[in-house]
Amino acid sequence: MNNYLSLKDHVYNYIVDQINNGNLIAGKKVNESAISESLNVSRTPVREALIQLSSEGLLENVPRKGFVIKNLTTEEAKETYFIIGALDGLAASLAAPFLTEKHMNEMEFYIQSIDLAINTGNFSMYHKMQEAFHGVYLSVCPNKSLVNLLLQLQKKFLKNFAHSGEAELTKKRLSQTNNEHRKMMELFKKGELAELERYMKEVHWNIDKAELIPL
């Protein structure tokens, strides 16, 4: 993996983190000057990162206003969930033959870390750990084009759960999601790939869950 990040990539990651941390919310204009000053970079890499995020559907370039965080409608969220479920399930089934005991142990570790994040209300840690969990099998999926498309679509749902206003309900939902991770692990270990693909599409990424996301 190439650890070198261009200025544009650095700015890109910074903006994604700002969205995930709740510092940038749907409908809010992205302040290019503020980002340039915060990162001590010119406007060029900032503009390049914003254009990329816009092409990926995370931002919207509004005439006479600039780049704003895009707000998905419930219908758009459901449609995207359906596509993500199909792609993630397929990616998991393709990756399964390449998973080693080390990979399995890593995923088990992330599941336990997610439990800790939920119990302590550390939703920023939750996001990082659940991303890492999925990242284990995606890292060995042989179809990289599929993985890149999947990751691009998932960016549309970057949220800070701490800002949902319903902490206890959020914890309950996230715990259920982590139980789904445990079920996925069970299916990975049993080699039941058709069931794994179905489960991820119909349960883990069930389109009705899109209605629970604060859009």
Side-chain angles (χ1 to χ4, degrees):
M1 181 177 179
N2 187 357
N3 293 320
Y4 173 77
L5 291 179
S6 67
L7 281 177
K8 186 265 291 182
D9 291 334
H10 183 55
V11 175
Y12 176 99
N13 290 339
Y14 173 81
I15 296 173
V16 167
D17 285 341
Q18 290 296 298
I19 296 173
N20 185 57
N21 291 332
N23 295 324
L24 292 175
I25 60 177
K28 183 176 180 180
K29 178 182 177 180
V30 178
N31 190 323
E32 297 182 39
S33 297
I35 293 175
S36 296
E37 293 174 5
S38 295
L39 299 179
N40 194 27
V41 299
S42 71
R43 295 284 288 273
T44 299
V46 175
R47 170 65 56 157
E48 291 175 346
L50 293 173
I51 291 174
Q52 180 178 341
L53 287 164
S54 179
S55 70
E56 293 176 354
L58 196 59
L59 304 181
E60 185 176 8
N61 193 357
V62 180
R64 297 184 298 280
K65 185 175 182 180
F67 291 94
V68 299
I69 310 302
K70 190 172 182 181
N71 190 7
L72 292 179
T73 66
T74 299
E75 190 60 34
E76 288 172 330
K78 284 187 173 184
E79 290 174 354
T80 306
Y81 250 55
F82 179 83
I83 298 171
I84 290 175
L87 294 179
D88 202 15
L90 178 57
S93 65
L94 291 174
F98 300 94
L99 290 173
T100 64
E101 183 178 355
K102 179 177 181 292
H103 292 126
M104 294 295 189
N105 290 337
E106 287 178 0
M107 286 193 284
E108 293 282 7
F109 169 79
Y110 291 130
I111 287 175
Q112 294 173 12
S113 298
I114 290 172
D115 280 338
L116 176 62
I118 295 171
N119 292 334
T120 58
N122 189 338
F123 298 115
S124 177
M125 177 184 173
Y126 167 86
H127 171 77
K128 292 177 182 178
M129 292 299 99
Q130 69 86 22
E131 188 177 65
F133 171 84
H134 290 279
V136 173
Y137 63 83
L138 292 180
S139 69
V140 297
C141 176
N143 192 321
K144 300 307 178 186
S145 295
L146 185 158
V147 172
N148 289 335
L149 178 57
L150 173 60
L151 294 176
Q152 177 180 320
L153 289 170
Q154 287 179 340
K155 287 192 182 77
K156 294 184 178 183
F157 296 101
L158 291 175
K159 295 290 178 184
N160 183 350
F161 298 107
H163 289 265
S164 69
E166 301 176 341
E168 290 306 313
L169 181 57
T170 297
K171 285 184 178 182
K172 183 177 179 180
R173 290 171 179 166
L174 298 186
S175 294
Q176 176 58 44
T177 297
N178 207 28
N179 286 335
E180 292 169 10
H181 292 151
R182 291 186 169 89
K183 178 64 176 180
M184 290 163 57
M185 286 295 301
E186 177 185 327
L187 295 173
F188 269 127
K189 291 176 179 178
K190 291 181 177 179
E192 297 180 4
L193 304 188
E195 175 59 15
L196 172 65
E197 191 168 341
R198 184 206 66 79
Y199 183 81
M200 294 181 70
K201 179 180 178 180
E202 298 181 10
V203 179
H204 193 61
W205 288 100
N206 186 293
I207 62 172
D208 289 336
K209 292 182 180 180
E211 296 181 344
L212 302 177
I213 296 176
L215 299 174

